[in-house]
Amino acid sequence: MRIGIFTKYIAKSLLTFFLGVLGILTFVIFMNQFIRILDMAMTYGTSWSWVASSLLNVLPDVFCLSAPMAFQIAILLTLTNMSEHGELIALRAAGFSFKEIIRPLLICAVSLSVILVIMSNWFTPRSYKRLLDRRAEARSKITKVNLEPKTFLNLGEWDLYLESLDKHTDVARQIHLIKRNDEGALSTKVNAASGKVILSDTAIGLQLEDGQMQRLDEKDPTSFIAANFDRYVMSISLLKEQFRRLRVGEMSTTKLLRRMRQLPLDQETINEYRTEISMRNVLALSPIVLLFVSCPIGFSFGKRTNKGWGMLCSVIIIFTFYLLMTLGLSLGKKYGWIAYPGPWLPIVAGIFAAKYLWKKRLNI
């Protein structure tokens, strides 16, 4: 009975600190992405639905990055708060062992790690892929198409000029179109006395009347082939063809393993795939390791210790963890034989650090 009440109490305290810190860290990291997405939306003239979709696809990656840090900070804040109010001393005096005190924290750590394993290996890569697809979609569209008279408008391979335009009827006068080849030289000219210009999200439709077309002769580049027309209908696409290279971060762990088995990849790419798989699982399992490193430190705090010491210790632990992981990633990408174990360096170091801290704590 007492264990059930205590478990609920400490779990509630941990969850309160975790959600508070998670909200702050998520907001800070999310704002950076928000500014970048909003800047792209302004540059390419995308819709608000594109912005909302992109922001939603950013959230899983932000959560996977901020959750381990928020959990580690929440652990030390919880233990510091209990020490500050003398609750840890009271629990020890009441016969609670360190194992019993840690049990609810460990349950929370394991639960978070399970969520992170699923998200990091499968859910987050898919969201990241959708985000990159949305960005490629925005970049592939010619944006900010304002049909203004007496202005040359670049439409990719075409330049459009309108002497006058009635925006109510879409009727234009003196329409001139110029097309250039890959070398930038003039290849096609279209002139029309009048016509109708219809603008859509993906193309500009032109219904030209009483005009002439001049096209560069492929056999003789120094001469043009000309033809007059009474009526000519054409469409200019506002979409640009783009090739997007598949990134490692947008492939699920299952897909990375399958590509390594089925495709002839160079050693550098294989190392990148292996370190990516390891890094995802290191981040997912980090709450458990950080728990065992943080608890003996938190149990060492006295009654007069304030939460500032908990925050300071958290910053040091998080900085050391990510520093070791970065070092492991660099070594893994450079040396193929440690591509898998390299990113696990902070986990191994954390296990030894936890063993040392617990031994020192239990011998006091």
Side-chain angles (χ1 to χ4, degrees):
M1 182 67 179
R2 68 170 190 169
I3 294 179
I5 297 174
F6 164 70
T7 299
K8 292 179 181 179
Y9 171 75
I10 195 170
K12 181 180 178 182
S13 178
L14 176 67
L15 186 61
T16 301
F17 282 118
F18 173 71
L19 292 177
V21 178
L22 179 65
I24 295 173
L25 292 177
T26 300
F27 177 78
V28 172
I29 300 173
F30 181 77
M31 283 305 297
N32 180 45
Q33 296 291 335
F34 174 78
I35 293 172
R36 293 174 60 185
I37 290 173
L38 194 61
D39 179 67
M40 181 175 290
M42 298 296 291
T43 301
Y44 292 97
T46 59
S47 63
W48 285 108
S49 62
W50 181 92
V51 175
S53 175
S54 298
L55 292 176
L56 287 175
N57 288 322
V58 163
L59 283 176
D61 188 50
V62 174
F63 175 81
C64 290
L65 182 61
S66 59
M69 294 186 288
F71 185 77
Q72 198 280 325
I73 295 173
I75 292 171
L76 281 179
L77 288 181
T78 300
L79 297 178
T80 304
N81 184 64
M82 295 177 69
S83 296
E84 189 177 359
H85 293 87
E87 293 171 337
L88 284 179
I89 297 176
L91 288 171
R92 293 289 291 155
F96 280 88
S97 64
F98 288 125
K99 183 179 180 180
E100 290 175 324
I101 298 174
I102 288 178
R103 184 180 294 125
L105 300 177
L106 181 59
I107 293 173
C108 294
V110 172
S111 301
L112 179 59
S113 290
V114 171
I115 294 173
L116 289 175
V117 165
I118 296 172
M119 292 190 65
S120 298
N121 287 285
W122 293 281
F123 189 73
T124 300
R126 292 175 184 174
S127 296
Y128 186 51
K129 184 180 185 305
R130 287 195 294 266
L131 174 65
L132 295 180
D133 288 340
R134 298 291 280 169
R135 288 182 178 179
E137 177 188 334
R139 291 192 178 105
S140 67
K141 186 176 183 298
I142 301 174
T143 58
K144 295 183 178 179
V145 178
N146 297 319
L147 296 175
E148 297 292 338
K150 298 184 178 181
T151 302
F152 273 98
L153 178 63
N154 181 261
L155 302 172
E157 60 182 5
W158 287 95
D159 288 325
L160 173 65
Y161 177 85
L162 308 174
E163 182 65 27
S164 64
L165 175 66
D166 188 338
K167 294 187 177 181
H168 296 288
T169 61
D170 296 327
V171 175
R173 303 291 179 185
Q174 296 300 319
I175 303 171
H176 303 281
L177 283 162
I178 299 175
K179 183 179 180 180
R180 301 184 183 278
N181 56 26
D182 296 336
E183 289 75 25
L186 181 65
S187 63
T188 306
K189 289 197 305 182
V190 179
N191 302 314
S194 63
K196 197 170 185 178
V197 183
I198 303 172
L199 177 63
S200 68
D201 292 336
T202 59
I204 291 181
L206 298 171
Q207 298 175 0
L208 307 178
E209 297 180 356
D210 189 18
Q212 183 186 61
M213 175 186 291
Q214 296 179 350
R215 183 170 58 83
L216 185 68
D217 189 352
E218 296 179 358
K219 297 181 179 179
D220 184 7
T222 61
S223 61
F224 278 86
I225 299 175
N228 297 324
F229 60 83
D230 294 328
R231 183 180 176 84
Y232 180 62
V233 178
M234 64 180 297
S235 177
I236 301 176
S237 176
L238 298 179
L239 301 177
K240 295 180 285 187
E241 293 185 6
Q242 283 196 350
F243 172 77
R244 187 173 71 80
R245 178 178 175 270
L246 195 62
R247 299 188 186 183
V248 178
E250 63 181 298
M251 291 183 280
S252 66
T253 299
T254 306
K255 186 172 184 178
L256 290 175
L257 293 172
R258 185 166 60 248
R259 285 173 67 90
M260 283 192 291
R261 289 195 305 266
Q262 298 176 354
L263 299 180
L265 304 174
D266 58 85
Q267 189 60 45
E268 183 179 353
T269 302
I270 293 175
N271 293 346
E272 188 178 6
Y273 283 13
R274 289 174 176 174
T275 53
E276 175 70 19
I277 294 171
S278 293
M279 184 190 69
R280 292 175 181 178
N281 292 286
V282 166
L283 287 176
L285 297 177
S286 61
I288 299 175
V289 176
L290 293 174
L291 168 70
F292 286 106
V293 173
S294 301
C295 281
I297 297 175
F299 290 145
S300 300
F301 290 148
K303 188 174 181 180
R304 296 182 179 180
T305 305
N306 58 40
K307 296 182 183 65
W309 286 105
M311 285 295 299
L312 178 60
C313 291
S314 295
V315 171
I316 295 173
I317 293 172
I318 292 171
F319 176 79
T320 304
F321 183 89
Y322 280 94
L323 179 64
L324 291 174
M325 189 174 70
T326 303
L327 177 61
L329 284 171
S330 300
L331 293 174
K333 290 180 179 180
K334 187 175 182 180
Y335 304 105
W337 60 277
I338 57 171
Y340 274 131
W344 290 88
L345 179 60
I347 299 294
V348 175
I351 293 173
F352 281 103
K355 184 178 180 181
Y356 170 78
L357 291 171
W358 275 107
K359 184 178 180 180
K360 184 176 179 180
R361 175 58 191 166
L362 294 175
N363 290 335
I364 293 178

